[in-house]
Amino acid sequence: GIMNCIHEQLFGTYGGVYQFLFFFTFFTVLRHPTTKFVSTLFTKIFAIQNPRHQTKVGETFWFFMYYSSAWAFSSFALWGKPYVTNSDAMFADYPTTIAPANLAFLMFELGFYASSFAYLFFETRKNHSDFWMMFSHHIASMFLIGVGVYFHYDKMAVVSLWIHDVADIFLEGAKVLSYCRFKTLRYIPFGILVFAWGVPRIYYFPKHVILSSFRIFMTRAAEFPMITFFLGFMSLLWVLDCVWWAMILKMVIKGLATMNLEKDVRSSSDSEAEATPAPAKQQPAKRE
């Protein structure tokens, strides 16, 4: 039955629980030494003088590497799948056994978000005004992944994460360039970010995943346990997407007017002093 299938996928030889524990340990153990190494290396190479930026460049590069690998992973899992463009295909044969690639990817994401949730209380982001927004984001993401696996909504979960991860590649990449003092080059990923965030998250996500799924569940709700909560959390995630996109647009418009994009895109608490490199006896020429 379905419960035996779920138990096998969670606790079998290659079950989700073991994959989750592996990825959680992997991300937790590697994060601190990786961010510290990158911060030290980039500080020396690019002459980063602001102490806060010296720390943040390592954290940001860690997220850039993660989202790049996560989007590549999800693209592999979704390659050739009809439910990428056809929402009806996500539930045509529900419930079915979760595809191994989908399960592995979801545990990859769950392990990362669980690790990031723990680190949220120790990294520089804890002092930002968007701390509780990020707190809510991680909770919602872990809930969606957990429910997606347990109740076999894996197709919807993988598509949703695939939609979201692509924008974060450009967001984190632009921030790395900004901290490394590439004042002109950073405008390229920032410009792409406006569309990579707006089109997939603000338009495609609600249209293809939330609204289309809602119409299906209105006629077959009894077949889908926990679907009300699942759609509710996806809606919450979309609201956060809209808030962040408004912040991005505001930052880009202000940055183009003042030619200054030093501040973190999703953090409004950085002071002007933090946004400007600390004084030094001899400032290296800014990179173009």
Side-chain angles (χ1 to χ4, degrees):
I2 183 65
M3 295 308 299
N4 290 334
C5 182
I6 291 175
H7 185 276
E8 176 62 24
Q9 289 184 153
L10 293 178
F11 300 101
T13 304
Y14 301 103
V17 170
Y18 304 115
Q19 292 185 47
F20 163 73
L21 292 175
F22 170 78
F23 287 123
F24 174 78
T25 303
F26 175 81
F27 288 122
T28 303
V29 170
L30 284 186
R31 176 164 174 167
H32 178 69
T34 301
T35 55
K36 185 176 181 180
F37 171 79
V38 171
S39 294
T40 302
L41 180 64
F42 282 18
T43 295
K44 292 180 178 179
I45 294 177
F46 302 109
I48 303 173
Q49 297 177 348
N50 187 315
R52 185 178 181 82
H53 292 180
Q54 292 174 3
T55 301
K56 289 180 66 63
V57 71
E59 293 179 1
T60 304
F61 190 76
W62 169 262
F63 283 106
F64 172 75
M65 291 191 299
Y66 166 73
Y67 287 117
S68 298
S69 60
W71 194 76
F73 196 163
S74 60
S75 296
F76 169 78
L78 293 174
W79 185 263
K81 300 299 190 296
Y83 49 85
V84 175
T85 55
N86 181 8
S87 60
D88 293 344
M90 285 192 281
F91 310 100
D93 52 357
Y94 180 87
T96 57
T97 301
I98 300 177
N102 284 359
L103 180 62
F105 169 71
L106 291 173
M107 292 303 100
F108 179 83
E109 289 264 4
L110 185 60
F112 174 79
Y113 279 115
S115 177
S116 296
F117 182 77
Y119 269 99
L120 189 62
F121 298 91
F122 302 100
E123 62 180 7
T124 58
R125 196 186 299 270
K126 69 179 183 295
N127 298 317
H128 290 172
S129 60
D130 70 340
F131 172 84
W132 291 109
M133 191 178 294
M134 291 303 301
F135 182 93
S136 301
H137 174 271
H138 290 345
I139 291 291
S141 297
M142 289 187 289
F143 179 87
L144 287 172
I145 295 170
V147 172
V149 171
Y150 191 83
F151 291 105
H152 287 216
Y153 299 142
D154 56 296
K155 297 174 183 178
M156 183 192 297
V158 173
V159 171
S160 299
L161 291 166
W162 177 70
I163 289 171
H164 281 76
D165 287 343
V166 63
D168 284 308
I169 297 174
F170 297 102
L171 171 61
E172 304 300 339
K175 287 159 65 177
V176 169
L177 291 175
S178 183
Y179 295 136
C180 291
R181 305 172 63 248
F182 286 94
K183 306 299 181 182
T184 302
L185 187 60
R186 63 185 175 173
Y187 282 94
I188 297 176
F190 268 124
I192 298 174
L193 173 64
V194 173
F195 299 97
W197 191 292
V199 176
R201 294 191 180 203
I202 308 303
Y203 173 74
Y204 185 74
F205 179 53
K207 180 178 182 294
H208 179 68
V209 179
I210 299 178
L211 296 180
S212 297
S213 301
F214 180 76
R215 287 195 296 268
I216 294 173
F217 298 138
M218 286 296 291
T219 58
R220 301 169 56 192
E223 303 175 33
F224 300 93
M226 287 289 290
I227 194 58
T228 302
F229 291 99
F230 195 65
L231 288 175
F233 267 79
M234 285 199 301
S235 299
L236 170 62
L237 189 59
W238 182 72
V239 170
L240 292 175
D241 287 337
C242 292
V243 172
W244 276 322
W245 195 49
M247 294 170 66
I248 290 172
L249 291 175
K250 180 180 178 181
M251 180 276 302
V252 170
I253 293 172
K254 183 177 180 180
L256 291 175
T258 62
M259 296 304 291
N260 178 20
L261 285 173
E262 283 291 332
K263 286 190 177 183
D264 243 347
V265 173
R266 290 187 288 191
S267 302
S268 58
S269 61
D270 287 343
S271 67
E272 292 301 326
E274 288 171 341
T276 305
K281 293 183 179 179
Q282 184 176 0
Q283 291 274 8
K286 292 183 178 181
R287 300 176 183 270
E288 296 296 330

